[in-house]
Amino acid sequence: MTITAKIITDSVSLEGIRLTTFELRYPRIVHSELMTHRVFSRGASSSRAIPISRSIKDILRDPAEPVAWGSNKPGMQAGAELTGIRRTLARMAWHGTKRCAILGARISQWVGAHKQVANRILEPWSHISVVVTSTDYENWFALRCHPNADPTLKALADTMFEAREASTPGLLQSGEWHLPYITERDRLYHDNDIEVLKQMSAARCARVSYNNHDGTTPSLGQDMELFGYLMADAPVHASPTEHQATPDKKWSRDRWSKPKLHGNFYGWIQFRKTIPGEAVHER
């Protein structure tokens, strides 16, 4: 079972507002609880896209399970940790049903079911890879690093907190961009063309990885093709463009230059908000 939190890009504006992008891997069983934090921009690996055989291989190699095996009691918080034979039997039940799920997924694959169907059977034992960007992590840490939080989610939040504490953000001025998955080599190779780099970053955030799904290094053509696919549909698939941002200017204590372009950030202009038709609104 794996829980990791890697900082991809960490920036701070002249106003002292920090914007941090994480790449996370954690058990899918707690993903819904991360999704309740609405100030986060996030993208995740999808059960609809991962081949069934690869999902099964990942589960056999590194099955997800709860961090703690607390005893039952009324309320949301578990009691004392199970020990001895009771803990052993609880884990056996967890991993025994995993084998049944793998069999069910293989049968679904054999009869021709799409991976978006078969992979759902495997989700309790699966990990998920997620890219998260936000200017506001304080409430997340206050709630999820707390002893009353789900232990598996707490382990994720603690890992994120430690990574962020150990990171030093780079200073960005207005017009300079926070671009996850963009390297210095990318900037040099593409002559620091911000429009190209923003689109490359969005494509890589859509993959939740610098690399292609097969592990190869992406070419400009592959990144541009993926970005074009995201923008070509109606409505556009704009969530991968939420992770790129540039500091907004502050004209006075409480007055930003372009507050309507902040999206779910504070003090940063979000790439998504500069894209025409980035959301469908009822009038």
Side-chain angles (χ1 to χ4, degrees):
M1 195 267 291
T2 302
I3 293 177
T4 58
K6 176 184 177 183
I7 290 183
I8 303 301
T9 309
D10 198 5
S11 307
V12 65
S13 68
L14 291 174
E15 300 294 338
I17 302 171
R18 188 175 179 181
L19 180 66
T20 307
T21 298
F22 286 93
E23 183 182 300
L24 310 174
R25 176 176 164 87
Y26 54 87
R28 188 181 280 271
I29 54 175
V30 294
H31 183 56
S32 61
E33 294 181 83
L34 181 137
M35 293 293 286
T36 64
H37 291 263
R38 292 175 292 175
V39 293
F40 288 177
S41 289
R42 60 233 158 183
S45 56
S46 173
S47 293
R48 300 178 63 197
I50 300 172
I52 301 167
S53 57
R54 179 177 156 189
S55 296
I56 292 173
K57 182 179 179 181
D58 286 345
I59 289 172
L60 291 172
R61 178 184 56 85
D62 184 23
E65 64 175 51
V67 164
W69 301 85
S71 57
N72 189 35
K73 71 170 190 177
M76 292 180 65
Q77 282 77 46
E81 280 285 288
L82 297 174
T83 58
I85 189 62
R86 294 200 301 162
R87 178 185 175 88
T88 299
L89 289 173
R91 294 192 74 240
M92 285 178 63
W94 181 270
H95 291 285
T97 52
K98 173 191 70 183
R99 296 184 183 94
C100 295
I102 290 173
L103 177 60
R106 282 178 169 153
I107 292 172
S108 297
Q109 181 183 30
W110 179 69
V111 300
H114 189 271
K115 52 186 175 289
Q116 72 178 358
V117 175
N119 276 336
R120 302 299 189 195
I121 304 172
L122 304 170
E123 288 188 350
W125 303 272
S126 301
H127 289 85
I128 189 168
S129 296
V130 180
V131 58
V132 175
T133 304
S134 184
T135 55
D136 298 282
Y137 287 98
E138 287 72 19
N139 192 56
W140 160 260
F141 291 135
L143 286 171
R144 304 309 187 178
C145 293
H146 194 278
N148 289 343
D150 178 289
T152 306
L153 193 64
K154 182 180 185 301
L156 171 63
D158 288 344
T159 304
M160 292 173 65
F161 181 83
E162 292 167 5
R164 197 165 184 263
E165 285 293 293
S167 176
T168 301
L171 179 65
L172 293 186
Q173 301 190 41
S174 180
E176 296 180 321
W177 281 79
H178 176 97
L179 297 171
Y181 296 116
I182 296 300
T183 67
E184 286 303 314
R185 181 180 179 277
D186 292 323
R187 293 177 183 275
L188 290 171
Y189 191 78
H190 299 292
D191 198 26
N192 210 29
D193 186 328
I194 292 300
E195 291 306 313
V196 169
L197 295 174
K198 286 190 292 184
Q199 294 176 27
M200 291 172 63
S201 174
R204 295 170 184 182
C205 287
R207 290 193 296 262
V208 197
S209 173
Y210 171 83
N211 291 324
N212 294 317
H213 290 306
D214 60 4
T216 59
T217 301
S219 66
L220 174 62
Q222 289 171 322
D223 284 336
M224 293 297 99
E225 182 181 5
L226 177 53
F227 182 80
Y229 169 79
L230 295 172
M231 296 296 107
D233 213 345
V236 298
H237 297 280
S239 58
T241 65
E242 291 185 12
H243 304 276
Q244 304 75 37
T246 185
D248 194 8
K249 294 178 181 179
K250 207 168 190 181
W251 298 126
S252 62
R253 182 176 179 180
D254 298 311
R255 185 180 168 215
W256 293 99
S257 174
K258 299 178 179 178
K260 292 184 178 180
L261 300 183
H262 291 185
N264 52 303
F265 295 162
Y266 176 69
W268 289 75
I269 296 171
Q270 192 176 68
F271 181 28
R272 174 173 183 159
K273 293 301 175 182
T274 68
I275 296 174
E278 54 89 17
V280 177
H281 301 283
E282 182 179 357
R283 297 294 184 224

